[in-house]
Amino acid sequence: MAKTSKGDQTRARIIRAARELFAAAYDRVSVRKIAAAAGVDAALINHYFGGKEKLFYAVVTYTINMDEVTTMLITTPREQLGESIIRYAEILWTSPAGQSYLAALRHAIASNATATWSIISDAILPLSEHILDPDDPHRETRIALLVSQISGVATTRYLIGMEPMASLDTETLVKTVGPTLQRYIDGDLT
């Protein structure tokens, strides 16, 4: 069994505290408040994460197991990627960690659009390397379309609860949105 360092334990405590506080009110959470909740000196947040926005990104990537996502992307047959991506997103969004992420994202959107775009793009851009051809002249457009579709589903389904989107069962969502994502991945965009 691998032993974790004191620094790793401190980082994990900070992330847990930040996730709870961000979920409650991102815009009203200070570095000092996070440090107090984690039982650490506020300077450690800047030391380990480089500030509140980068800590928020760390919370997101801690919530989303990027290794698991990468494995899913590289093991899924190419023609099933659209459905697999939205199915995985749905599993994430409905998990306890995902609920905290969505609540934090709601507050981030309301208070800081630049940080929100950075968080979304930093999470999606590395993943696009596994599914998009680097020489595709439409690569940037495909990325933007994927981001808009996935974030749009999360927003309408979970952040504002728009019906009937909010009530769709997972399989209907996957069968409806999956083909659109697939088209953005490898379909004709003209």
Side-chain angles (χ1 to χ4, degrees), residues 133-154:
D133 178 0
D135 298 324
D136 181 346
H138 303 290
R139 188 173 199 284
E140 297 302 315
T141 301
R142 291 182 191 284
I143 291 169
L145 290 168
L146 286 165
V147 168
S148 70
Q149 187 71 37
I150 294 166
S151 60
V153 168

Side-chain angles (χ1 to χ4, degrees), residues 26-182:
Y26 176 87
D27 54 336
R28 292 190 304 264
V29 175
S30 67
V31 168
R32 289 182 191 272
K33 195 174 210 177
I34 296 165
V40 300
D41 187 283
L44 287 176
I45 293 174
N46 288 323
H47 171 74
Y48 287 127
F49 301 100
K52 180 180 168 181
E53 287 179 12
K54 289 182 180 177
L55 173 57
F56 185 73
Y57 177 71
V59 167
V60 171
T61 56
Y62 187 82
T63 301
I64 302 170
N65 183 332
M66 299 305 265
D67 291 336
E68 185 178 290
V69 174
T70 300
T71 300
M72 180 269 299
L73 291 174
I74 61 177
T75 60
T76 299
R78 185 155 188 84
E79 67 276 3
Q80 296 172 8
L81 280 171
E83 288 187 2
S84 292
I85 290 168
I86 198 64
R87 183 174 280 113
Y88 185 87
E90 181 73 0
I91 290 167
L92 170 69
W93 295 329
T94 57
S95 72
Q99 292 298 305
S100 294
Y101 165 70
L102 287 168
L105 188 58
R106 178 185 305 114
H107 292 290
I109 289 169
S111 64
N112 190 333
T114 303
T116 305
W117 168 243
S118 175
I119 289 159
I120 292 170
S121 65
D122 286 352
I124 295 204
L125 290 177
L127 300 178
S128 68
E129 295 172 13
H130 301 288
I131 60 173
L132 299 177
D133 178 0
D135 298 324
D136 181 346
H138 303 290
R139 188 173 199 284
E140 297 302 315
T141 301
R142 291 182 191 284
I143 291 169
L145 290 168
L146 286 165
V147 168
S148 70
Q149 187 71 37
I150 294 166
S151 60
V153 168
T155 300
T156 57
R157 189 164 169 84
Y158 293 105
L159 298 185
I160 60 175
M162 180 186 288
E163 292 297 349
M165 189 68 159
S167 307
L168 286 179
D169 63 274
T170 299
E171 284 310 304
T172 301
L173 179 73
V174 167
K175 293 296 180 194
T176 305
V177 175
T180 301
L181 294 177
Q182 192 67 44

